[in-house]
Amino acid sequence: MAVCSVCFRHCDIPEGRLGFCGARTCADGKVTAANYGRVTSLALDPIEKKPLARFRPGSLILSAGSYGCNLRCPFCQNYGISWSDEAFGYAETAGYVPPEDLAGMALSCRDRGNIGLAFTYNEPLIGYEYIRDTAKLVHGQGMVNVLVTNGTADLSVLKEIAPYIDAMNIDLKGFTDHYYMDVLGGDRAMTMAFIEEAVRCCHVELTTLIVPGENDSEDEIRSMTEWIAGLKDADGNTCGRNIPLHISRFFPRFNMTDRDATDVRLIYRLADTAREKLKYVYTGNC
Ligand code: SF4
């Protein structure tokens, strides 16, 4: 039995069993990543698809995912690898790709325009050891690393990987504790602390999915962007106004099919609200 300290859930994991995310286990009394090197998805994507709008625009990045997630967003678009029965089935079936092999694949795609490796699709931080080991090799090849994350992890996890990560897209899914806790199964305070620290380490962009009836008020976007605008860089200078924010449109999926897709006009209106505080606001899925 051991306690996992990666996220706010602090799962007490019995020997040989899995934590809530389905990706971490207890072996010989120590917590380890059961999904280490278990790659379920691999694609050479445009960097804009991460989404990153202001980091190496126009380039491609080899994007890899594993399985498992520490949140329970009912509308997850990637439920097949995040938190469905199918996702947890990958514990048995996903192939093992050692860090050297994945870094080697990134290098072999370089002549097709690849700039490095993105850790994405499921929640990468629940298997941060693989990110650390692989990203180090990718840097050694003179390429970059990108992380696409829900930002729900302890700062000690960020510290482990930060030296090797060049850019992140972090979800800031809403700006109320109720939404984070009761709808997403998350922890807003942990996510905000992660974002605060990440902007001191590398290029950061944020994403907010607007779900009708949940996080779609102008007041909420106003409080959120006010907080973002006040974030500080490593020198203590306020830099938040320059952090890009992607405001995207929800579509009914997975366990949330009781409402329509977000009205495009609402997305544009909330983007305008965000622009009162932030310089770079992008709309997604419109
Ligand atoms: S990372 Fe997974 S095992 Fe660790 S505390 Fe979070 S949900 Fe539990």
Side-chain angles (χ1 to χ4, degrees):
M1 183 85 96
V3 177
C4 177
S5 55
V6 166
C7 84
F8 70 99
R9 293 186 181 277
H10 295 125
C11 298
D12 215 344
I13 313 176
E15 187 72 20
R17 303 289 290 276
L18 294 167
F20 178 86
C21 58
R24 300 188 71 76
T25 188
C26 174
D28 298 326
K30 280 170 75 177
V31 176
T32 61
N35 70 349
Y36 187 98
R38 303 288 171 184
V39 175
T40 64
S41 333
L42 202 55
L44 189 57
D45 282 341
I47 194 101
E48 286 77 9
K49 206 175 156 185
K50 298 303 97 195
L52 287 174
R54 302 187 66 79
F55 179 80
R56 309 284 297 267
S59 58
L60 298 175
I61 190 151
L62 185 67
S63 303
S66 182
Y67 64 83
C69 190
N70 52 349
L71 265 60
R72 288 295 178 265
C73 307
F75 44 75
C76 183
Q77 309 278 318
N78 290 340
Y79 61 88
I81 56 166
S82 63
W83 66 277
S84 55
D85 289 345
E86 188 189 347
F88 296 132
Y90 278 115
E92 306 298 327
T93 58
Y96 177 63
V97 182
E100 299 73 22
D101 289 12
L102 189 57
M105 284 181 217
L107 188 59
S108 68
C109 297
R110 195 179 218 165
D111 56 2
R112 288 164 61 196
N114 181 36
I115 59 166
L117 197 55
F119 300 90
T120 176
Y121 302 136
N122 73 315
E123 174 45 52
L125 292 175
I126 55 175
Y128 74 90
E129 297 90 337
Y130 186 64
I131 301 177
R132 178 196 60 206
D133 298 349
T134 311
K136 199 184 288 187
L137 299 174
V138 168
H139 261 192
Q141 295 168 175
M143 302 178 91
V144 301
N145 294 295
V146 161
L147 178 71
V148 182
T149 176
N150 62 31
T152 311
D154 192 78
L155 294 184
S156 58
V157 171
L158 177 58
K159 205 169 161 197
E160 285 270 325
I161 58 166
Y164 316 109
I165 301 295
D166 303 282
M168 294 187 200
N169 185 295
I170 310 173
D171 282 339
L172 182 54
K173 292 173 185 275
F175 215 60
T176 64
D177 290 334
H178 154 70
Y179 182 57
Y180 257 92
M181 213 166 13
D182 302 332
V183 180
L184 312 175
D187 184 308
R188 184 168 72 114
M190 179 169 251
T191 307
M192 287 168 69
F194 189 93
I195 292 171
E196 226 165 55
E197 195 52 37
V199 301
R200 297 184 223 269
C201 302
C202 67
H203 176 86
V204 169
E205 303 194 11
L206 302 173
T207 296
T208 305
L209 182 83
I210 303 295
V211 181
E214 302 290 351
N215 61 350
D216 57 351
S217 75
E218 288 188 29
D219 281 352
E220 187 164 340
I221 292 297
R222 215 164 258 130
S223 327
M224 177 192 281
T225 50
E226 201 166 309
W227 178 76
I228 296 170
L231 291 171
K232 293 189 168 64
D233 64 16
D235 299 322
N237 300 316
T238 305
C239 64
R241 213 174 103 68
N242 294 324
I243 296 174
L245 174 67
H246 301 260
I247 294 192
S248 9
R249 192 175 174 219
F250 156 93
F251 288 97
R253 288 276 190 285
F254 192 35
N255 292 333
M256 192 179 265
T257 52
D258 60 345
R259 60 202 82 192
D260 293 334
T262 320
D263 189 328
V264 175
R265 288 165 302 182
L266 175 62
I267 297 290
Y268 290 144
R269 195 164 72 236
L270 294 179
D272 281 342
T273 304
R275 288 186 187 107
E276 292 167 10
K277 296 284 177 208
L278 308 178
K279 212 162 151 191
Y280 307 110
V281 180
Y282 302 89
T283 54
N285 299 338
C286 288

